[in-house]
Amino acid sequence: MNTEILNTEIQDFISKNLNLDISKLILKGTSFNNVTTKEIIEQIEAKNKSKKKLPTWFSSEKIYYPNKLNIEQTSSEITANYKAQLFKGKSIIDITGGFGVDCFYFANYFEDVTHCELNEKLSQIVAYNYPQLNIENVKTKNVDGIDYLQSNKKVYDYIYVDPSRRHESKGKVFFLKDCLPNVPLHLEILFKKANNIAVKTSPLLDLTIGITELKHVKEVHIIAVKNEVKELLWILENGFEGEITIKTANIIDTKIESFDFKLKDEATCKVNYSKPLTYLYEPNAAILKAGAFGSISEYYKVAKLHKHSHLYTNNDILTFPGRSFKIENIIDYNKKNLKELNISQANITVRNFPDTVNNIRKKHRIKDGGNIYIFFTTNLLNAKIVIVCTKIC
């Protein structure tokens, strides 16, 4: 950590050049003493990546940034704030602290927060930044989190861990055993130090695989932001052997679309099927990731168009966790029928359909955007159909 970067002159340069072409800065260079052009570029790139993801850091003065990869890998403020409100207790330890965004929000709900980070430079950066952000109840430790737990007698209310995939596991099926730390291997140690463990993972992790690898899973939270699943959060409780609850959340600005269900109930849900009726409903990304296809149908009394289409219909307007549409037209899928619609611009979605959005646009010369929404899908008779809609919400 080069503290010369924090000099007012250099901080002003960074702020004034956030929109500068980095390639030009590389060629031109800078003339500051004790700070290299490379270091300044790293600060500019990381700060730029923080603008939307970490607005508190971006808007605060004299924040020191790690390289942009650390910013890419950290939780966003939106998801960190959501997660922090799920936990209760006095003490929590993050054994894979990273840039410290999760601990920043834990500090609002816990009296005693410990941040462990093996990377010495990153740990120093976090320890420096917290006072700039008016955070005083987080202890930063430049240690391996598992080693730290084993080396002291303290017991916590919660342990939080965000394991990272090993580089050599790229392209392979995502297993927790392929991550660092290896959570399944260390569960016995973790449960000796806390009755509650929260494991953050990428959305790539399959729910069945995660449940198989872990023990005492009480809840799985599927967290989406503006209909894009960002992360999964696995809540483990020592000794828990009950039914697992899946909790979905789609955060849109200040609104949260929520839907919870018991995993065991999904297989026995009664699902009705129907041709498209007056309204069309598309579950949000968190629900689709959860596989709550039967549960959402049973709870909202909506019928599916096809077992694998994951689109729902009803004659009533519902407050539904996802997108809602008024059906304007339904046609069998063929070139002649589409041409007769005379639609040159529309928002296109494919569900259980043997073609891609890009190919459909090219074939039928339909530009993106506008107020028309078209779904290319399969109905309960296995026929390929096109549903033309206007959006309700």
Side-chain angles (χ1 to χ4, degrees), residues 126-289:
V126 174
Y128 161 77
N129 281 340
Y130 277 148
Q132 316 311 311
L133 299 166
N134 298 314
I135 295 297
E136 299 177 349
N137 58 325
V138 179
K139 297 188 289 290
T140 56
K141 305 289 182 181
N142 175 211
V143 293
D144 177 282
I146 297 292
D147 291 345
Y148 182 76
L149 286 173
Q150 291 180 296
S151 66
N152 70 82
K153 296 181 180 180
K154 186 173 176 63
V155 175
Y156 300 86
D157 292 313
Y158 257 96
I159 292 174
Y160 179 82
V161 54
D162 177 6
S164 60
R165 294 183 70 180
R166 294 189 181 99
H167 294 300
E168 64 268 21
S169 69
K170 285 183 177 179
K172 297 180 181 179
V173 175
F174 185 6
F175 290 97
L176 283 167
K177 66 181 181 181
D178 294 327
C179 298
L180 291 174
N182 183 334
V183 175
L185 180 66
H186 292 106
L187 272 179
E188 186 176 346
I189 295 169
L190 297 176
F191 275 128
K192 285 182 179 178
K193 295 296 182 176
N195 281 327
N196 302 287
I197 301 166
V199 183
K200 170 193 166 183
T201 69
S202 158
L204 295 176
L205 181 59
D206 181 81
L207 294 186
T208 302
I209 290 175
I211 291 168
T212 300
E213 286 195 278
L214 296 170
K215 294 179 181 178
H216 310 307
V217 178
K218 184 177 183 179
E219 298 173 356
V220 183
H221 293 255
I222 302 175
I223 308 168
V225 178
K226 294 181 178 178
N227 211 34
E228 181 183 352
V229 180
K230 295 295 186 179
E231 56 191 70
L232 309 182
L233 185 71
W234 308 73
I235 306 297
L236 284 57
E237 182 181 289
N238 199 5
F240 181 80
E241 300 294 345
E243 300 298 337
I244 298 171
T245 301
I246 308 295
K247 295 177 173 281
T248 72
N250 183 34
I251 307 168
I252 306 172
D253 300 322
T254 58
K255 174 187 173 185
I256 300 178
E257 293 178 342
S258 300
F259 181 73
D260 304 344
F261 66 102
K262 295 290 186 182
L263 188 60
K264 77 171 182 64
D265 292 339
E266 173 61 23
T268 58
C269 284
K270 183 180 179 181
V271 181
N272 292 319
Y273 296 88
S274 170
K275 65 181 183 179
L277 301 172
T278 308
Y279 299 99
L280 188 73
Y281 297 99
E282 180 189 36
N284 65 46
I287 292 170
L288 293 175
K289 169 63 182 178

Side-chain angles (χ1 to χ4, degrees), residues 1 10 29 43 62 86 90 103 133 143 174 198 234 236 250 252 260 263 275 286 305 313 333 360 371:
M1 179 175 172
I10 295 175
Q43 292 296 302
K62 290 200 171 183
L86 301 176
K90 291 185 177 181
C103 280
L133 299 166
V143 293
F174 185 6
W234 308 73
L236 284 57
N250 183 34
I252 306 172
D260 304 344
L263 188 60
K275 65 181 183 179
L305 300 191
T313 191
Y333 174 66
I360 290 170
N371 298 319

Side-chain angles (χ1 to χ4, degrees), residues 3 7 35 78 111 123 137 140 159 270 306 321 378 388-389:
T3 55
N7 290 343
V35 178
I78 292 173
E111 296 176 10
S123 182
N137 58 325
T140 56
I159 292 174
K270 183 180 179 181
H306 184 279
T378 303
V388 182
C389 306

Side-chain angles (χ1 to χ4, degrees), residues 58-76:
F58 183 84
S59 60
S60 299
E61 294 184 357
K62 290 200 171 183
I63 293 295
Y64 197 108
Y65 293 90
N67 64 58
K68 62 181 180 180
L69 181 62
N70 291 126
I71 303 299
E72 291 170 356
Q73 293 176 338
T74 192
S75 297
S76 67

